[in-house]
Amino acid sequence: MLAAGTGAGAVNAVVGSGTLITFPVLLAAGLPPVTATVSNGLGLVPGSITAVLGYREELRGQRQRVLLLGVGAVLGGLAGAVLLLTLPASALERIVPVLVGLALVLVACQPWIAKRVRRRREAGGTVRRARGPLLFTGLTLAGVYGGYFSAAQGILYVSLMGMLLDETLQRLNAVKNVPAAVVNTVAAVLFLIFAHFDWTAVLLIAGGSALGGLIGARTGRRFSPAVLRTLIVSVGTVALVHLVLR
């Protein structure tokens, strides 16, 4: 569990989908699915926080954006956690693979989308004036998914921001760690009060994810946009296959 937490923290900092490492380990240890999901969500909170600290240089100048998206993450994370505690596990399983698949397409097409936006701007055209509300709404809904089942939520964040913002992929990747941390923390508070979890699993994954978040941030900051995009799409494809077969 400690090793899985370290790997998940590193993957979440760079890409997202670290839950695909820890969740099967928790199930193999004998935890019921909902208990495993809750314990996993609690354990990954420290890794989300250390990932934000590791990417603090890329976050400079994005304070207003981060604060706005943080509000949406609070609302989405709270709603997703409530859904996890109240709805049957099958309720969102059909839509989750669709969301992840769409996110992968958007990440892969992000250079083309950014180029189209840049051309319109240079030609004097108007770039989506509603992109602020669109981004807030999209990331809030992605936060609902993250609070419900955290795997690949980072990929959803990056794809939405890549489509609606004119920023480098590294800066977008840095921002995505903030709503992920907020969603995980909000869900964790709710889980601590209302859900059943395994303290041993939580502590082991928490210790590993805190270390992994720092390692992942330090490593991921060195990747070129092409390498980072390839990594996101590759890991996301594995996540999609896992979700479909699950």
Side-chain angles (χ1 to χ4, degrees):
M1 289 183 188
L2 183 65
T6 303
V11 170
N12 280 341
V14 181
V15 182
S17 299
T19 289
L20 299 181
I21 299 174
T22 48
F23 189 66
V25 171
L26 294 175
L27 293 180
L31 272 64
V34 174
T35 302
T37 301
V38 171
S39 301
N40 180 70
L42 287 168
L44 291 179
V45 170
S48 301
I49 296 173
T50 55
V52 171
L53 295 175
Y55 270 101
R56 59 186 178 276
E57 187 65 31
E58 285 75 15
L59 287 171
R60 294 186 187 279
Q62 302 194 79
R63 181 176 181 179
Q64 184 176 358
R65 177 181 299 160
V66 166
L67 290 176
L68 178 62
L69 298 182
V71 173
V74 170
L75 299 175
L78 183 61
V82 170
L83 289 176
L84 176 64
L85 297 177
T86 57
L87 293 181
S90 59
L92 291 181
E93 285 184 354
R94 292 182 180 178
I95 192 62
V96 165
V98 177
L99 291 175
V100 176
L102 178 61
L104 291 177
V105 172
L106 292 176
V107 171
C109 295
Q110 193 264 339
W112 178 79
I113 295 172
K115 187 180 297 185
R116 288 291 300 271
V117 170
R118 199 175 301 115
R119 284 178 180 173
R120 289 180 62 184
R121 184 172 296 165
E122 292 172 353
T126 57
V127 181
R128 297 175 186 261
R129 298 192 176 194
R131 65 182 185 177
L134 277 175
L135 184 63
F136 179 82
T137 301
L139 264 72
T140 300
L141 293 176
V144 176
Y145 164 76
Y148 184 85
F149 186 70
S150 60
Q153 65 170 316
I155 294 174
L156 292 176
Y157 297 146
V158 171
S159 67
L160 287 168
M161 290 187 292
M163 182 174 63
L164 297 171
L165 296 175
D166 185 17
E167 284 282 7
T168 66
L169 188 57
Q170 282 289 7
R171 282 172 63 82
L172 297 181
N173 199 47
V175 172
K176 75 101 167 66
N177 286 318
V178 177
V182 173
V183 166
N184 290 343
T185 302
V186 169
V189 171
L190 204 64
F191 294 156
L192 283 172
I193 300 173
F194 297 107
H196 175 69
F197 51 88
D198 186 293
W199 267 116
T200 301
V202 171
L203 293 175
L204 288 172
I205 291 178
S209 70
L211 176 61
L214 290 174
I215 295 173
R218 177 168 295 186
T219 303
R221 294 176 67 227
R222 301 174 182 174
F223 293 155
S224 68
V227 171
L228 185 57
R229 185 172 294 105
T230 300
L231 185 60
I232 292 173
V233 173
S234 299
V235 173
T237 301
V238 174
L240 179 60
V241 172
H242 172 83
L243 291 169
V244 170
L245 296 180
R246 188 170 70 91

